[in-house]
Amino acid sequence: MATRKNRQTDRMSGKLGSKIMYTWKGRDCERAYAKPKDPMTPAQMAHRLVFGTMSSLGKAMLEVVKIGLRGKAAEGRTTEKNIFIKLNKQCFSIADDEVSIDYANLKVADGPLAAVDFGEPSTVDGRTIRVAFSNREHADRFNYVMLVAYLPGKHNCMLSEPVFRSAGEAEITLPESWTGLPAHIYGFCWDGKDIASPSSYIGAVNQQ
């Protein structure tokens, strides 16, 4: 629909019938309206499917990436979700109309803090995942360490309570509804404000 831009000059802009009205260098112009092409090629459909999966995962992990990618988003003047997609494009592939995700290389946090050296995850009481870690030399022991659990089967994500980097271990208790389903565990360091470390993939666990 065309709209009047300036009542004094009586100029119009927008779609009017089969024409597009616009102003260029102070002059009124028009061009024929062309319906955008959507050939729905296999490559185009594959790209849309992959992008949709990336966007859906970024949305599911939004609580996490709003902390882990906050600094990167501010630096790039964009959103944490956009940074998540940019960092993880190479982790998504498609074959036979099925999108695969390389969870082991997925990044849920990134930044200049020193990365954390995590050990193997262990299960306590069947639901609580405990992970030991060591503090790197010259790293601030009063930064926080946080664990992340993601359950692909339900597109659920959760974040542990933060512990000081000097604590040496962190825990995350998985919901009972996750029983019998594999969850992916990540960890990263955070300064409590805007800066994080690169995240680490700790491993996959199956709650008993």
Side-chain angles (χ1 to χ4, degrees), residues 45-58:
M45 295 302 292
H47 173 77
R48 289 175 185 174
L49 187 57
V50 169
F51 185 82
T53 303
M54 288 191 292
S55 183
S56 178
L57 183 56

Side-chain angles (χ1 to χ4, degrees), residues 186-204:
Y186 302 84
F188 65 95
C189 189
W190 177 51
D191 74 342
K193 297 178 182 178
D194 301 321
I195 302 175
S197 73
S199 61
S200 299
Y201 181 70
I202 298 171

Side-chain angles (χ1 to χ4, degrees), residues 97-205:
D97 296 327
E98 290 289 333
V99 178
S100 298
I101 304 174
D102 179 8
Y103 289 104
N105 286 301
L106 203 69
K107 292 295 181 185
V108 299
D110 196 24
L113 291 185
V116 182
D117 296 321
F118 291 100
E120 294 292 322
S122 60
T123 304
V124 183
D125 68 30
R127 290 180 55 196
T128 300
I129 308 303
R130 181 177 294 164
V131 184
F133 56 85
S134 58
N135 195 27
R136 292 190 179 184
E137 189 178 1
H138 305 307
D140 188 339
R141 62 194 183 97
F142 292 115
N143 283 156
Y144 298 105
V145 171
M146 305 175 80
L147 300 180
V148 178
Y150 177 68
L151 186 67
K154 294 191 175 183
H155 304 289
N156 286 345
C157 187
M158 61 181 300
L159 192 62
S160 74
E161 292 294 324
V163 297
F164 284 127
R165 193 162 182 156
S166 58
E169 66 177 26
E171 293 183 349
I172 187 167
T173 301
L174 307 182
E176 191 173 351
S177 60
W178 290 24
T179 300
L181 299 173
H184 297 280
I185 309 298
Y186 302 84
F188 65 95
C189 189
W190 177 51
D191 74 342
K193 297 178 182 178
D194 301 321
I195 302 175
S197 73
S199 61
S200 299
Y201 181 70
I202 298 171
V205 298

Side-chain angles (χ1 to χ4, degrees), residues 3-37:
T3 58
R4 191 179 301 278
K5 291 182 68 175
N6 188 314
R7 292 187 179 275
Q8 292 181 343
T9 60
D10 225 23
R11 287 175 178 166
M12 304 286 286
S13 69
K15 184 173 180 292
L16 184 62
S18 61
K19 297 179 180 180
I20 298 295
M21 319 294 291
Y22 62 99
T23 302
W24 184 70
K25 292 187 177 181
R27 294 181 295 177
D28 292 327
C29 303
E30 64 179 57
R31 62 176 174 80
Y33 171 73
K35 186 177 180 179
K37 292 183 179 180

